Amino acid sequence: MARFKCEKAIRYGAIADAFALSRAAGVGQRGDVTGPCGHIHLILPDPVERAACFRVLTAGPARVVRSFASADDWFAAGDDDSCAVLLLRWEQPGAVSGAALLAHAAARDGIAAFVAAERLSIAESRAILLSGARDLLPAPLDPRLVRRTIDGALADHAAWQVACERQRAAAARLAALTPRERDILEGIAAGLGNKAIAQRLDLSPRTVEVHRANIMRRAGAGHVAELLHLRFVAEQARVAPGNRVRFGA
């Protein structure tokens, strides 16, 4: 048994110092506490695997990494609001299963969930991906693959945050429009001229011209192309990065 543990530690590049290893694998252990892209949460029952992934993810750019021994511990911590990337083992000890954990993560905007599992059938893999997993990773986990995969997920998350902020800013600029001005904006977006919009809304062309000028002023748009771009961005759904249906990164 001792030989097996030693070989396993070497395989994952674990630190020989037992204190350092247990500290890195500790439940709720944090990495650096700065970084704008959200937290990384590891829910990995195996302490050696958890320590190896924790270590490789906290090396380099400042980021928050939290590790947990089970889904039960993760729910008990109540820190899912900060989570941007979740890496979990499909086989979970305790009352909360991997399926229940994935369902919870999939219901939250902005959480990219990665599932590590062994010996899954094609049907099981497909079901996990359709349940909301961003990707499947082969287990036992290779820390280098974990690092590459999560780095990509964090980059996607940062881009998603920027897109959300642009959407909010565009929506705020158009929020001051009156219902009539919104009707006219829809006509402009449909490619209609002032006369066609006037006929559609039973207005005079001059009234449409006045409303159109007010729309440009309220939206802070310098030209029609900018106005239409604002409308497009404001109406975009703020959808978190989607699944990549593939095995491995």
Side-chain angles (χ1 to χ4, degrees), residues 132-150:
R134 173 77 177 274
D135 203 353
L136 289 169
L137 298 180
L141 286 167
D142 178 350
R144 294 168 298 179
L145 175 59
V146 168
R147 176 62 185 262
R148 291 196 302 270
T149 301
I150 290 183

Side-chain angles (χ1 to χ4, degrees), residues 30 57 64 83 106 110 113 118 120 136 138 161 192 211:
R30 286 181 177 270
L57 289 170
V64 178
C83 182
E118 301 179 63
L120 289 176
L136 289 169
Q161 287 183 315
L192 301 179
H211 279 306

Side-chain angles (χ1 to χ4, degrees), residues 91-160:
E91 304 83 6
Q92 287 287 325
V96 181
S97 67
L101 177 58
L102 177 59
H104 178 82
R108 305 295 298 269
D109 276 345
I111 296 182
F114 294 88
V115 175
E118 301 179 63
R119 297 183 296 276
L120 289 176
S121 67
I122 293 176
E124 289 172 326
S125 300
R126 182 174 182 273
I128 291 172
L129 291 168
L130 291 176
S131 296
R134 173 77 177 274
D135 203 353
L136 289 169
L137 298 180
L141 286 167
D142 178 350
R144 294 168 298 179
L145 175 59
V146 168
R147 176 62 185 262
R148 291 196 302 270
T149 301
I150 290 183
D151 281 353
L154 288 176
D156 289 346
H157 182 78
W160 174 71

Side-chain angles (χ1 to χ4, degrees), residues 28-116:
Q29 178 68 26
R30 286 181 177 270
D32 294 318
V33 291
T34 58
C37 293
H39 298 186
I40 303 165
H41 289 187
L42 309 176
I43 308 179
L44 304 173
D46 185 283
V48 177
E49 186 174 64
R50 189 165 69 247
C53 291
F54 180 90
R55 189 177 309 107
V56 76
L57 289 170
T58 52
R63 56 181 52 162
V64 178
V65 182
R66 298 199 65 190
S67 62
F68 303 87
S70 69
D72 291 353
D73 292 339
W74 186 73
F75 275 106
D79 194 27
D80 55 332
D81 286 340
S82 66
C83 182
V85 179
L86 179 66
L87 174 60
L88 64 125
R89 273 285 199 151
W90 188 241
E91 304 83 6
Q92 287 287 325
V96 181
S97 67
L101 177 58
L102 177 59
H104 178 82
R108 305 295 298 269
D109 276 345
I111 296 182
F114 294 88
V115 175

